[in-house]
Amino acid sequence: MIPHVGGLWKYMLQVKQGLEAHGHQVDMIGDGLDRFYMYGEPNREVHKHHFKPMLEHKLPASSVIFTDQWVRYAESERLCLELSLASMGLEQYDIIHAQDVLAASAVSRIKPQRTPLITSIHASLALTILDMLHAGQGIQPSHAPLVWNYYKTIEYVGGTSSDRILLASQWLKEVMISQFTLPESNISLIPYAMDIAAFEYRMQLGHSITPPSGKKVIICTSRLSYEKGIHVLIEGLGKLHRIRQDWVCWLVGDGDQRSLYEQRVHELGMEEVVLFWGARDDVPQLLGLADIFVMPSLMETLSYSVMEAQLAALPVVSSDAGGLKEAVQHGVNGLLFTVGNDDMMLSHLNILLEDERYRQELGGHARTWALEHRGLDNMVQQVTSVYHDELTK
């Protein structure tokens, strides 16, 4: 099961390709705005409008639990997925691998009893919602207890209904055990990895873009959404711009906050130095042209973007959110700053712009670390081992 976005999409494609290289057959079901579909098979899809009217009737707005739009939408999507999967049929599969707790809770109710359900939890939905509540991001304060308890419950139900849970970072493992009481015995820790050879091939391809002469390129590849902390980056860049102008920043990605970020860049007078490239399929080449990578996330399990930057031999200036500090060792292969602290981030960027030798040293260590820890074969082998264990139970 895949939500078709960002690093998770890269993760699922790499797992699929790795498993198929070992002779396994893998189907992926994607969640579109108006349909659920089988990736790569255009004739296998279920349109949500077949079920939405019935669900709207069955989920009355007068019911207390459905008074909040976030909860109502999540429940409608979860039940729609359940009905869609039931109509597609799951009997032919030996393993079902869900990619979030909402999907896991839906699958667990309609899958064949003999079929193991593996769930990868890539981030805590409940903690993401809690962060949005604290920031006043679109959730009514009066609904806060309801929204929090709903997502906290879904976290627990999705996790406990799975035969095995896969997590990519020790930080997320501790969160799932301590805050959502998921059983440690059912958790396997398997960090993300990638096809290094394919990435390096793409990084070496030519590109029409030329970095500006005499300026270092700071790059951030990320969704332009609140939890990714791009507002923190922009504020820090505004302060950096007042100190020095020997840099440009490339923001590669798109998202619901883009117009707000563009407006803030305009207010800070940085339109010429902070460039919005949008979503692109040439990220490896752009990383190959850059000098410094920055990751300002407010919450992150273990970032594919950071992994790619390390393989491109870029020093990483990163927040210490979640599992990021498991990949970035401060002063060894990058520099860490406290979540939301744009002054600390500014200081790190200034150091790397000032000290060429130190910048290259951290970048070299970053690449060495990624080559040692992020190979795809090892991750696929660990995932396959989990599948085998559950099938033999």
Side-chain angles (χ1 to χ4, degrees), residues 115-137:
T115 307
L117 171 60
I118 314 298
T119 299
S120 287
I121 301 178
H122 300 277
S124 169
L125 286 177
L127 292 187
T128 300
I129 290 295
L130 185 62
D131 195 45
M132 295 177 69
L133 285 168
H134 289 161
Q137 291 288 306

Side-chain angles (χ1 to χ4, degrees), residues 56-68 72 146:
E56 289 299 314
H57 177 70
K58 293 289 186 180
L59 305 179
S62 58
S63 174
V64 173
I65 195 171
F66 301 126
T67 54
D68 182 82
R72 185 178 181 83
L146 168 64

Side-chain angles (χ1 to χ4, degrees), residues 76-136:
S76 176
E77 287 292 295
R78 184 175 73 89
L79 294 172
C80 192
L81 171 62
E82 184 177 315
L83 292 167
S84 298
L85 291 175
S87 67
M88 286 181 174
L90 299 177
E91 293 76 13
Q92 71 269 36
Y93 298 112
D94 299 306
I95 291 279
I96 299 175
H97 190 162
Q99 298 301 317
D100 59 58
V101 289
L102 279 166
S105 64
V107 171
S108 65
R109 285 160 44 96
I110 48 93
K111 74 175 183 67
Q113 186 174 3
R114 62 172 177 78
T115 307
L117 171 60
I118 314 298
T119 299
S120 287
I121 301 178
H122 300 277
S124 169
L125 286 177
L127 292 187
T128 300
I129 290 295
L130 185 62
D131 195 45
M132 295 177 69
L133 285 168
H134 289 161

Side-chain angles (χ1 to χ4, degrees), residues 68 70-71 126 129-130 132-134 139-152:
D68 182 82
W70 289 77
V71 174
I129 290 295
L130 185 62
M132 295 177 69
L133 285 168
H134 289 161
I139 300 174
Q140 296 182 39
S142 60
H143 290 180
L146 168 64
V147 176
W148 163 248
N149 282 307
Y150 171 79
Y151 279 95
K152 184 178 180 181

